[in-house]
Amino acid sequence: MRKLTPFDRPAQTAPRIVTAKAIHTVGPDDATATAMLIDDGRIVAIGTLAECEQAATDAGLAAERVDLGERVVVPGFVDAHAHPLMYGQMMSWVDCGPERAQSIPEIVALLRAAAAELPAGRPVRGYGYEHRNLVEQRHPTRFELDEVAADREVYLMNASGHGGVVNSHMLALNGVDRDTPDPDGGTFFRDADGELTGELSDAACNILTGVHGVKIGHHGPNFHLADEPEEHLRQLDAATQRFLAGGVTTIGDAQVSRRELDMYLRLAEAGRLELRVSMYLLSHLLDQALEMGLVGQFGNAHLSFAGIKLYADGTLGGWTAYFPDGYVGDPCRTGQLYHQPAEYTELIRRAHAAGLQTATHAQSPTAIEMVVSAIEQALADRPDPDARHRIEHCGLPTPDQIRRMAAAGIRPVNQPQHYRNWGEGVEQAIGTPGERFNPLGEFEAAGIPFTISSDAPVAEPIPLEAIETSVTRLTRRGHRLGSDALRVTARAALRAHTWEGAVSLGREDDLGSLETGKLADFAVLSDDPLEVASDAIASIRVEQTWVGGERRFEAAP
């Protein structure tokens, strides 16, 4: 990756020797140290205190001592798949998740209370509901959201982020009626009589961004809703603090449109980027990217371009992942593909031919097959042993697909918190095969390096929770999904959220492990995730988060 210097935040102000009970380096040697010398934002030496003191003397550095006592240090967590601006924006919406609303009337009450506090005409937006968590076991309807407001937008986003429910006003405003055809890659849902229910998914979400907003066609779910630029910057700042509180120091933004790019550039120019961000432009921008010559990774230590994000199918959480024979829980529902195989194969071919890494959302075996086949064909046309094409979520690959992924060097980027939060729902949706959802142990057995991440806001950016779930495969309700062969060790899960995340982003030369010469990004933990009981990992407290040798977060006492 070419390294550029503009817009970087200032490096640390003084050399330091950091000592702790244990410093897990996680790198190729996977050693454990007790001291680390850092200067100018990078690691100068790592090992024992005596070794670091000698290194400081040899380098002529008057290093101050930072003694972390019995705490444990790990590399800064890499959240290789997240949506920071979407996350920050939703923090200003109404939380309608299961901890606040367990029924549709409770959701309506929350939204009505919010509407009463908003200025006239201001949209009313909520998020976090999952219909299988509601007592009614169904989605709300537009008629129920009409009880919130009938003269302005009311939008309730599903926990998956791939759609939700709007009120009648939004459908009428956008000219959507019972005769409106579904867009490619999306659905306006109807009842048995053909009437619109208000539920929409995936590409149908384009109506949410208005006439002048970001439009992405059938290239993904459109969650790029516009606010004033200063409000977007505030949202990104708020999201950043949440990531830092989880020990995250680097993010892969897995769906960048002009909205996200504009905000990142504004933050960078103002010196307000506290995290490191690698951007994946959504595939509707592929033509523009190629025309501008974006044919490889570039950027600086805090903001970089990584590749192209694509979508194969929808989400298991919203039942829009593509199962052509229908869902067990609803045989009339099949989900959809965003692209026909030939169109998708051509997108991959063009990106790969230009040297771009791709990251494709795919959940069902049919969608994963389309992705694996397209990558195999692209690699046959232009061999590249280090292309690092990614499959995001990669929920239910077949054993044969896993074998072919290993052969092609395809990297799965998974989110264990998805099955922690709603794993039972996957089984309800597709039956017994759902027990294999996110088969990390099978990837490991096949020799495939896997990455784990949050997909925030679909799950909170809490890496220790993701690590625990990778080890236990327990849902919030205490149900264990699948066999022990699907589980991995805490050491493997820690590696997947640090080193492998950096490799998936193409940033392992600088990030992902604590080694001499690398950036001094690390998290300080109250206990050792490699030593505590597996069901206690998520209870470990992130005490501090350091980026470039400077403390960016410290937990309250």
Side-chain angles (χ1 to χ4, degrees):
M1 178 181 295
R2 290 173 285 176
K3 306 296 193 300
L4 305 181
T5 55
F7 308 147
D8 274 349
R9 291 181 61 86
Q12 71 183 76
T13 55
R16 298 183 174 101
I17 293 177
V18 176
T19 58
K21 175 185 176 181
I23 301 175
H24 295 305
T25 64
V26 180
D29 295 336
D30 203 13
T32 298
T34 55
M36 178 169 56
L37 172 63
I38 54 180
D39 182 45
D40 198 26
R42 291 187 178 267
I43 300 170
V44 177
I46 188 164
T48 65
L49 175 58
E51 290 169 336
C52 289
E53 287 177 333
Q54 185 60 53
T57 299
D58 293 344
L61 298 175
E64 64 181 48
R65 177 85 174 273
V66 178
D67 184 6
L68 298 173
E70 292 300 301
R71 295 166 173 158
V72 173
V73 171
V74 298
F77 293 112
V78 177
D79 199 337
H81 181 120
H83 307 282
L85 181 51
M86 177 191 181
Y87 180 44
Q89 188 173 42
M90 286 175 57
M91 287 166 61
S92 66
W93 295 4
V94 182
D95 182 358
C96 297
E99 294 182 356
R100 298 203 63 207
Q102 298 178 10
S103 69
I104 292 172
E106 289 175 331
I107 289 176
V108 171
L110 288 171
L111 294 174
R112 290 185 69 175
E117 298 295 324
L118 290 171
R122 182 75 61 85
V124 183
R125 295 168 178 165
Y127 73 95
Y129 89 95
E130 171 52 65
H131 69 280
R132 290 178 300 276
N133 289 333
L134 298 175
V135 296
E136 295 88 351
Q137 291 284 293
R138 65 170 175 85
H139 296 272
T141 68
R142 63 184 172 108
F143 304 108
E144 286 158 331
L145 295 194
D146 289 345
E147 298 174 22
V148 176
D151 60 348
R152 53 176 153 168
E153 173 193 332
V154 180
Y155 174 45
L156 176 63
M157 181 184 282
N158 183 274
S160 70
H162 279 246
V165 186
V166 296
N167 63 345
S168 299
H169 171 82
M170 275 296 287
L171 295 173
L173 183 67
N174 288 276
V176 179
D177 59 29
R178 63 176 295 153
D179 298 321
T180 301
D182 290 335
D184 290 340
T187 305
F188 295 112
F189 289 91
R190 295 163 169 83
D191 63 20
D193 297 323
E195 290 294 336
L196 294 166
T197 66
E199 183 190 354
L200 45 75
S201 72
D202 298 292
C205 297
N206 270 311
I207 71 169
L208 298 170
T209 59
V211 175
H212 302 295
V214 172
K215 299 298 180 186
I216 61 176
H218 64 287
H219 288 263
N222 195 339
F223 50 70
H224 305 278
L225 283 68
D227 285 320
E228 290 299 317
E230 279 305 314
E231 175 63 10
H232 276 326
L233 294 178
R234 188 200 65 77
Q235 292 161 356
L236 269 177
D237 283 338
T240 293
Q241 297 311 308
R242 291 281 188 93
F243 281 103
L244 288 170
V248 175
T249 56
T250 298
I251 296 171
D253 189 322
Q255 186 164 328
V256 171
S257 72
R258 71 169 190 257
R259 179 186 78 151
E260 286 75 16
L261 179 58
D262 180 30
M263 293 306 115
Y264 285 133
L265 290 175
R266 290 173 187 243
L267 281 180
E269 288 176 329
R272 288 166 56 186
L273 263 180
E274 295 189 77
L275 293 166
R276 308 189 193 281
V277 178
S278 292
M279 301 179 292
Y280 287 83
L281 298 182
L282 189 58
S283 57
H284 76 297
L285 297 173
L286 177 59
D287 287 343
Q288 292 94 318
L290 295 178
E291 184 179 349
M292 290 188 296
L294 302 183
V295 294
Q297 293 184 325
F298 71 93
N300 59 52
H302 274 273
L303 184 62
S304 60
F305 166 67
I308 300 294
K309 168 69 180 294
L310 303 99
Y311 280 83
D313 68 346
T315 170
L316 282 162
W319 292 25
T320 63
Y322 184 55
F323 291 89
D325 295 328
Y327 281 76
V328 171
D330 184 352
C332 295
R333 195 161 182 154
T334 63
Q336 71 277 319
L337 295 173
Y338 275 93
H339 306 277
Q340 292 303 307
E343 178 192 15
Y344 174 80
T345 298
E346 178 62 11
L347 289 170
I348 291 292
R349 184 199 66 77
R350 294 176 62 215
H352 176 77
L356 292 174
Q357 183 194 33
T358 63
T360 302
H361 169 119
Q363 290 279 26
S364 76
T366 303
I368 293 170
E369 178 61 34
M370 185 173 77
V371 178
V372 173
S373 295
I375 293 173
E376 288 174 332
Q377 185 172 324
L379 288 169
D381 293 342
R382 188 184 73 82
D384 182 352
D386 196 29
R388 303 190 197 183
H389 294 299
R390 298 168 36 164
I391 299 182
E392 310 304 293
H393 315 306
C394 202
L396 292 164
T398 67
D400 179 64
Q401 288 167 348
I402 290 175
R403 177 189 60 78
R404 290 159 58 202
M405 288 172 61
I410 299 172
R411 302 180 64 86
V413 179
N414 298 93
Q415 294 76 33
Q417 289 161 290
H418 284 190
Y419 58 76
R420 180 185 181 95
N421 292 339
W422 35 265
E424 292 91 349
V426 177
E427 291 183 284
Q428 294 170 18
I430 62 171
T432 302
E435 293 181 352
R436 290 182 59 251
F437 184 42
N438 275 251
L440 302 187
E442 293 182 12
F443 292 139
E444 185 175 51
I448 297 177
F450 61 90
T451 297
I452 59 178
S453 59
S454 72
D455 196 19
V458 180
E460 289 293 314
I462 308 174
L464 290 165
E465 185 176 272
I467 290 170
E468 176 180 301
T469 308
S470 302
V471 178
T472 66
R473 284 190 69 88
L474 286 173
T475 69
R476 290 194 181 276
R477 298 178 181 176
H479 176 62
R480 175 165 284 131
L481 286 184
S483 70
D484 287 348
L486 299 170
R487 299 162 64 185
V488 298
T489 65
R491 188 175 295 276
L494 174 63
R495 185 178 185 84
H497 222 321
T498 52
W499 170 260
E500 298 299 352
V503 175
S504 289
L505 295 176
R507 300 292 306 277
E508 74 273 17
D509 287 348
D510 280 333
L511 307 171
S513 61
L514 299 175
E515 302 176 75
T516 300
K518 286 196 169 186
L519 291 165
D521 296 358
F522 56 94
V524 180
L525 310 180
S526 63
D527 213 331
D528 193 335
L530 304 185
E531 297 292 338
V532 302
S534 60
D535 61 358
I537 296 173
S539 299
I540 294 174
R541 179 177 159 96
V542 177
E543 301 276 1
Q544 299 174 9
T545 304
W546 294 61
V547 181
E550 289 291 329
R551 186 169 49 238
R552 300 295 178 195
F553 166 79
E554 184 162 19

